Amino acid sequence: MKSIEEIWSTRINHHINETRAYLKYMLNDHLLFVFIFLGAGGALTYSKWLEVLPPDFPAVFIMTLTFAFIIITSGVRTLLKEADIVFLLPMEHKLDSYFKKAFSYSMISQSFIVIVTMILFAPLFLKATNANARVLLLSILLLLVIKFWNLRISWKMGYFTEASSKWNDLIVRFAINVLSIFFLLSQQYIFVGIVFIIMFAYDFYFSKIISKKAIKWEQLIQKEDSKKQSFYKIANLFTDVPKLKKQAKRRKYLDWFVKQVAYQQDNVYEYLFIRAFLRSGDYLGIFVRLSLIGSIIITFIDDQLYGNAIVSIFFIFLTGIQIMSLYKHYELLELPNLYPKAEVRKLTSFLKIMFRMLLIQVSVYSLVTLFTADIVTFAITLLSGLAFVAIFVFVYMNNRIKQKEKVG
């Protein structure tokens, strides 16, 4: 039998190799081009905005909330599997080294997000607070200490099964995070020290409680599986992921949308695609989130004349690219093959659905523009969006899907 160290080593290597394999598909040429374009444009806009930054801009408050949300989403990647509840449960008393390695890996991997976020905020932080490089470095180190504390508490809360205990912890921990980060960014280190003492007492309190509790294996395995599935969902937007578990959610309030499809054999895939889009959290969730984010950015953008059109086209592109995997949603389903004309109309039906969905997004962005800008900006946003959707769906998507089917 493998030792505990060998089990962890095997699993972490498999996890890293699997992640790398999917990242090669996710970070393709198209997405990298978009990121480079967005990064260059964002950096230029960021620098210009900092030059006219108003003195009363709530930079510290915005950074505090951002880091509070990032840091509180702490969870130890245990890499546990369903079979472990049978094979590793009898060895629970020997698994301290396994879970310590899992904790260390989680801390290192999640610290990267905190550091990158602080680097992105650095110009704003230095400008708004008149801090120097030494203060910036100290802030990063103390943010990592807060992250470490959150990860410890998150692990200890895994010993509880009561939902009320978990919600109470989230509320208390979020409040402590807000206070500690706000005092830290405001450079009020005396108050930071006081909050750190409270954090130590909070940690000590739960350490005492869990000393008499056992590890909740089912809960840990369920959490690990949930994290894996979240990553698979993102990867599935770019390539097929066999391990992804399909889930559907009944949304009765959207049935009117499905009823718009005529009841005839030619519309088999059109009906199926609409149902999959509405009932799957992957596609509808992406569509709603990107529509909201794009609308918020359009609301606050400075260069509205052409900026609104650029932002809307960018988010339409992101939405379309990410929900293109809808075309293969029924790849393994034999039911559509019972209808003679179904396969012939599959691509046409898919493009039709995509065109409609993206037209709705164009309408949303255009309406936001109408309320926040003038009629000329509204017209430019609407017309450019319509033109882009038509070309993107009927030229780009059409050709890309045909090429993939030829290769396949």
Side-chain angles (χ1 to χ4, degrees):
M1 182 178 177
K2 290 184 178 180
S3 66
I4 300 301
E5 285 72 18
E6 288 176 324
I7 292 173
W8 170 257
S9 179
T10 302
R11 291 189 179 181
I12 190 63
N13 288 333
H14 178 267
H15 170 70
I16 292 173
N17 291 334
E18 183 183 46
T19 304
R20 284 177 178 171
Y22 284 122
L23 283 176
K24 286 193 293 187
Y25 293 101
M26 295 164 66
L27 298 176
N28 53 45
D29 295 339
H30 297 95
L31 197 60
L32 284 175
F33 174 77
V34 171
F35 282 149
I36 292 171
F37 175 79
L38 181 63
L44 182 61
T45 305
Y46 192 17
S47 61
K48 288 184 177 180
W49 175 69
L50 287 176
E51 292 176 359
V52 294
L53 182 71
D56 58 343
F57 184 78
V60 172
F61 178 73
I62 292 172
M63 292 176 65
T64 297
L65 291 181
T66 303
F67 280 112
F69 280 111
I70 291 174
I71 288 175
I72 203 171
T73 55
S74 301
V76 177
R77 293 300 306 267
T78 59
L79 305 182
L80 293 176
K81 302 177 180 180
E82 291 183 8
D84 292 339
I85 200 169
V86 176
F87 295 104
L88 291 185
L89 181 59
M91 302 171 59
E92 181 176 331
H93 61 288
K94 298 181 180 180
L95 289 175
D96 286 345
S97 61
Y98 180 94
F99 290 127
K100 285 179 180 177
K101 291 180 184 294
F103 185 92
S104 299
Y105 167 74
S106 302
M107 179 62 197
I108 293 170
S109 59
Q110 294 176 28
S111 295
F112 177 76
I113 301 173
V114 178
I115 295 171
V116 170
T117 305
M118 190 61 187
I119 291 173
L120 293 175
F121 270 128
L124 175 62
F125 178 61
L126 297 174
K127 173 84 173 181
T129 63
N130 295 319
N132 53 33
R134 185 184 299 175
V135 172
L136 178 63
L137 180 59
L138 179 62
S139 300
I140 292 175
L141 292 175
L142 292 179
L143 282 172
L144 292 178
V145 171
I146 299 171
K147 178 68 178 180
F148 177 80
W149 175 77
N150 275 267
L151 202 59
R152 279 179 58 88
I153 300 300
S154 176
W155 170 253
K156 290 172 182 178
M157 290 308 300
Y159 284 81
F160 296 83
T161 56
E162 303 85 0
S164 58
S165 299
K166 296 179 183 295
W167 278 109
N168 290 336
D169 166 67
L170 281 175
I171 294 170
V172 172
R173 195 146 43 98
F174 182 75
I176 292 175
N177 286 340
V178 168
L179 288 173
S180 59
I181 296 170
F182 178 80
F183 291 139
L184 170 61
L185 298 178
S186 301
Q187 302 173 46
Q188 300 180 34
Y189 298 115
I190 294 176
F191 293 106
V192 173
I194 294 172
V195 178
F196 273 24
I197 293 171
I198 296 172
M199 290 163 61
F200 175 79
Y202 193 79
D203 183 286
F204 181 77
Y205 170 74
F206 279 105
S207 297
K208 283 287 186 181
I209 293 179
I210 67 169
S211 61
K212 299 179 182 179
K213 291 181 176 288
I215 295 173
K216 305 300 184 288
W217 284 86
E218 297 90 346
Q219 191 169 260
L220 288 178
I221 292 169
Q222 185 180 4
K223 282 185 177 181
E224 181 60 30
D225 184 64
S226 176
K227 289 171 184 174
K228 285 183 179 179
Q229 291 301 315
S230 297
F231 175 74
Y232 291 153
K233 285 179 183 179
I234 298 173
N236 191 59
L237 302 173
F238 303 90
T239 185
D240 294 329
V241 181
K243 296 180 181 179
L244 178 64
K245 299 175 183 177
K246 299 290 184 182
Q247 292 182 337
K249 185 177 181 181
R250 179 78 171 94
R251 295 184 171 95
K252 192 174 181 179
Y253 54 89
L254 295 175
D255 282 351
W256 64 273
F257 211 100
V258 179
K259 291 177 182 177
Q260 304 302 313
V261 181
Y263 186 76
Q264 55 189 37
Q265 287 191 19
D266 289 348
N267 297 334
V268 171
Y269 266 109
E270 185 177 342
Y271 177 79
L272 291 174
F273 282 141
I274 278 195
R275 285 177 67 88
F277 179 85
L278 297 177
R279 290 192 171 189
S280 172
D282 302 340
Y283 310 116
L284 185 63
I286 289 169
F287 179 83
V288 172
R289 284 194 296 272
L290 290 179
S291 298
L292 286 173
I293 294 170
S295 299
I296 292 170
I297 293 175
I298 287 173
T299 302
F300 294 101
I301 199 168
D302 291 331
D303 185 13
Q304 291 185 329
L305 185 59
Y306 297 106
N308 286 20
I310 293 172
V311 170
S312 63
I313 288 173
F314 172 72
F315 277 94
I316 291 166
F317 175 79
L318 281 184
T319 305
I321 286 293
Q322 293 193 60
I323 61 178
M324 267 188 71
S325 58
L326 175 64
Y327 184 75
K328 292 188 176 183
H329 190 85
Y330 294 103
E331 196 76 12
L332 302 177
L333 186 65
E334 294 295 331
L335 181 62
N337 297 329
L338 298 175
Y339 298 88
K341 299 180 182 179
E343 194 65 30
V344 178
R345 298 274 301 173
K346 181 180 179 181
L347 179 56
T348 305
S349 299
F350 174 74
L351 295 176
K352 187 176 179 180
I353 295 300
M354 289 298 299
F355 185 69
R356 287 180 181 177
M357 294 302 109
L358 295 180
L359 278 186
I360 292 174
Q361 201 170 42
V362 171
S363 302
V364 170
Y365 294 150
S366 300
L367 285 174
V368 173
T369 301
L370 183 62
F371 287 112
T372 59
D374 54 39
I375 193 69
V376 175
T377 307
F378 163 75
I380 292 174
T381 304
L382 178 61
L383 294 176
S384 60
L386 292 174
F388 178 79
V389 168
I391 296 171
F392 181 66
V393 172
F394 296 114
V395 178
Y396 176 80
M397 279 191 178
N398 189 18
N399 292 334
R400 186 173 178 183
I401 291 172
K402 287 180 178 179
Q403 287 175 0
K404 283 187 175 182
E405 288 187 331
K406 286 180 181 179
V407 174

PDB file of all heavy atoms in Angstrom, residues 332-343:
ATOM      1  N   LEU A 332     -24.005  13.167 -27.414  1.00  0.00           N
ATOM      2  CA  LEU A 332     -24.160  11.739 -27.111  1.00  0.00           C
ATOM      3  C   LEU A 332     -25.621  11.311 -26.989  1.00  0.00           C
ATOM      4  O   LEU A 332     -25.894  10.171 -26.606  1.00  0.00           O
ATOM      5  CB  LEU A 332     -23.422  11.415 -25.801  1.00  0.00           C
ATOM      6  CG  LEU A 332     -21.922  11.741 -25.789  1.00  0.00           C
ATOM      7  CD1 LEU A 332     -21.327  11.439 -24.421  1.00  0.00           C
ATOM      8  CD2 LEU A 332     -21.193  10.968 -26.873  1.00  0.00           C
ATOM      9  N   LEU A 333     -26.529  12.203 -27.330  1.00  0.00           N
ATOM     10  CA  LEU A 333     -27.954  11.887 -27.210  1.00  0.00           C
ATOM     11  C   LEU A 333     -28.477  11.348 -28.542  1.00  0.00           C
ATOM     12  O   LEU A 333     -28.321  11.976 -29.589  1.00  0.00           O
ATOM     13  CB  LEU A 333     -28.734  13.146 -26.809  1.00  0.00           C
ATOM     14  CG  LEU A 333     -30.218  12.961 -26.509  1.00  0.00           C
ATOM     15  CD1 LEU A 333     -30.392  12.087 -25.274  1.00  0.00           C
ATOM     16  CD2 LEU A 333     -30.893  14.303 -26.288  1.00  0.00           C
ATOM     17  N   GLU A 334     -29.087  10.179 -28.508  1.00  0.00           N
ATOM     18  CA  GLU A 334     -29.586   9.543 -29.732  1.00  0.00           C
ATOM     19  C   GLU A 334     -31.003   9.981 -30.093  1.00  0.00           C
ATOM     20  O   GLU A 334     -31.455   9.742 -31.206  1.00  0.00           O
ATOM     21  CB  GLU A 334     -29.583   8.010 -29.552  1.00  0.00           C
ATOM     22  CG  GLU A 334     -28.198   7.408 -29.405  1.00  0.00           C
ATOM     23  CD  GLU A 334     -27.362   7.579 -30.670  1.00  0.00           C
ATOM     24  OE1 GLU A 334     -27.959   7.628 -31.769  1.00  0.00           O
ATOM     25  OE2 GLU A 334     -26.130   7.690 -30.553  1.00  0.00           O
ATOM     26  N   LEU A 335     -31.701  10.615 -29.167  1.00  0.00           N
ATOM     27  CA  LEU A 335     -33.100  10.982 -29.400  1.00  0.00           C
ATOM     28  C   LEU A 335     -33.312  11.822 -30.666  1.00  0.00           C
ATOM     29  O   LEU A 335     -34.229  11.534 -31.446  1.00  0.00           O
ATOM     30  CB  LEU A 335     -33.653  11.717 -28.175  1.00  0.00           C
ATOM     31  CG  LEU A 335     -35.123  12.150 -28.240  1.00  0.00           C
ATOM     32  CD1 LEU A 335     -36.035  10.926 -28.375  1.00  0.00           C
ATOM     33  CD2 LEU A 335     -35.508  12.951 -27.004  1.00  0.00           C
ATOM     34  N   PRO A 336     -32.471  12.861 -30.930  1.00  0.00           N
ATOM     35  CA  PRO A 336     -32.711  13.662 -32.142  1.00  0.00           C
ATOM     36  C   PRO A 336     -32.590  12.868 -33.435  1.00  0.00           C
ATOM     37  O   PRO A 336     -33.183  13.232 -34.453  1.00  0.00           O
ATOM     38  CB  PRO A 336     -31.611  14.734 -32.069  1.00  0.00           C
ATOM     39  CG  PRO A 336     -31.235  14.798 -30.636  1.00  0.00           C
ATOM     40  CD  PRO A 336     -31.378  13.410 -30.133  1.00  0.00           C
ATOM     41  N   ASN A 337     -31.837  11.751 -33.402  1.00  0.00           N
ATOM     42  CA  ASN A 337     -31.665  10.952 -34.610  1.00  0.00           C
ATOM     43  C   ASN A 337     -32.930  10.216 -35.019  1.00  0.00           C
ATOM     44  O   ASN A 337     -33.003   9.658 -36.118  1.00  0.00           O
ATOM     45  CB  ASN A 337     -30.522   9.948 -34.413  1.00  0.00           C
ATOM     46  CG  ASN A 337     -29.188  10.638 -34.201  1.00  0.00           C
ATOM     47  OD1 ASN A 337     -28.965  11.732 -34.722  1.00  0.00           O
ATOM     48  ND2 ASN A 337     -28.312  10.018 -33.424  1.00  0.00           N
ATOM     49  N   LEU A 338     -33.913  10.179 -34.135  1.00  0.00           N
ATOM     50  CA  LEU A 338     -35.193   9.558 -34.484  1.00  0.00           C
ATOM     51  C   LEU A 338     -35.970  10.393 -35.481  1.00  0.00           C
ATOM     52  O   LEU A 338     -36.898   9.901 -36.124  1.00  0.00           O
ATOM     53  CB  LEU A 338     -36.038   9.346 -33.217  1.00  0.00           C
ATOM     54  CG  LEU A 338     -35.432   8.414 -32.148  1.00  0.00           C
ATOM     55  CD1 LEU A 338     -36.319   8.403 -30.917  1.00  0.00           C
ATOM     56  CD2 LEU A 338     -35.275   7.002 -32.699  1.00  0.00           C
ATOM     57  N   TYR A 339     -35.581  11.654 -35.610  1.00  0.00           N
ATOM     58  CA  TYR A 339     -36.258  12.553 -36.542  1.00  0.00           C
ATOM     59  C   TYR A 339     -35.399  12.702 -37.796  1.00  0.00           C
ATOM     60  O   TYR A 339     -34.240  13.109 -37.714  1.00  0.00           O
ATOM     61  CB  TYR A 339     -36.489  13.915 -35.890  1.00  0.00           C
ATOM     62  CG  TYR A 339     -37.375  13.851 -34.666  1.00  0.00           C
ATOM     63  CD1 TYR A 339     -36.830  13.601 -33.400  1.00  0.00           C
ATOM     64  CD2 TYR A 339     -38.748  14.017 -34.778  1.00  0.00           C
ATOM     65  CE1 TYR A 339     -37.643  13.525 -32.280  1.00  0.00           C
ATOM     66  CE2 TYR A 339     -39.564  13.949 -33.662  1.00  0.00           C
ATOM     67  CZ  TYR A 339     -38.996  13.703 -32.418  1.00  0.00           C
ATOM     68  OH  TYR A 339     -39.808  13.624 -31.314  1.00  0.00           O
ATOM     69  N   PRO A 340     -35.942  12.383 -38.969  1.00  0.00           N
ATOM     70  CA  PRO A 340     -35.150  12.346 -40.214  1.00  0.00           C
ATOM     71  C   PRO A 340     -34.428  13.645 -40.542  1.00  0.00           C
ATOM     72  O   PRO A 340     -33.303  13.631 -41.010  1.00  0.00           O
ATOM     73  CB  PRO A 340     -36.204  12.032 -41.288  1.00  0.00           C
ATOM     74  CG  PRO A 340     -37.338  11.404 -40.547  1.00  0.00           C
ATOM     75  CD  PRO A 340     -37.348  12.022 -39.196  1.00  0.00           C
ATOM     76  N   LYS A 341     -35.045  14.784 -40.285  1.00  0.00           N
ATOM     77  CA  LYS A 341     -34.470  16.060 -40.696  1.00  0.00           C
ATOM     78  C   LYS A 341     -33.669  16.755 -39.596  1.00  0.00           C
ATOM     79  O   LYS A 341     -33.158  17.845 -39.803  1.00  0.00           O
ATOM     80  CB  LYS A 341     -35.575  17.008 -41.161  1.00  0.00           C
ATOM     81  CG  LYS A 341     -36.368  16.508 -42.359  1.00  0.00           C
ATOM     82  CD  LYS A 341     -37.445  17.514 -42.742  1.00  0.00           C
ATOM     83  CE  LYS A 341     -38.271  17.009 -43.916  1.00  0.00           C
ATOM     84  NZ  LYS A 341     -39.332  17.972 -44.281  1.00  0.00           N
ATOM     85  N   ALA A 342     -33.575  16.109 -38.448  1.00  0.00           N
ATOM     86  CA  ALA A 342     -32.959  16.778 -37.289  1.00  0.00           C
ATOM     87  C   ALA A 342     -31.499  17.140 -37.531  1.00  0.00           C
ATOM     88  O   ALA A 342     -31.090  18.288 -37.335  1.00  0.00           O
ATOM     89  CB  ALA A 342     -33.079  15.884 -36.056  1.00  0.00           C
ATOM     90  N   GLU A 343     -30.682  16.179 -37.953  1.00  0.00           N
ATOM     91  CA  GLU A 343     -29.254  16.413 -38.113  1.00  0.00           C
ATOM     92  C   GLU A 343     -28.958  17.431 -39.206  1.00  0.00           C
ATOM     93  O   GLU A 343     -28.012  18.215 -39.107  1.00  0.00           O
ATOM     94  CB  GLU A 343     -28.543  15.085 -38.431  1.00  0.00           C
ATOM     95  CG  GLU A 343     -27.040  15.131 -38.302  1.00  0.00           C
ATOM     96  CD  GLU A 343     -26.583  15.389 -36.867  1.00  0.00           C
ATOM     97  OE1 GLU A 343     -27.299  14.980 -35.921  1.00  0.00           O
ATOM     98  OE2 GLU A 343     -25.520  16.017 -36.692  1.00  0.00           O
TER      99      GLU A 343
END
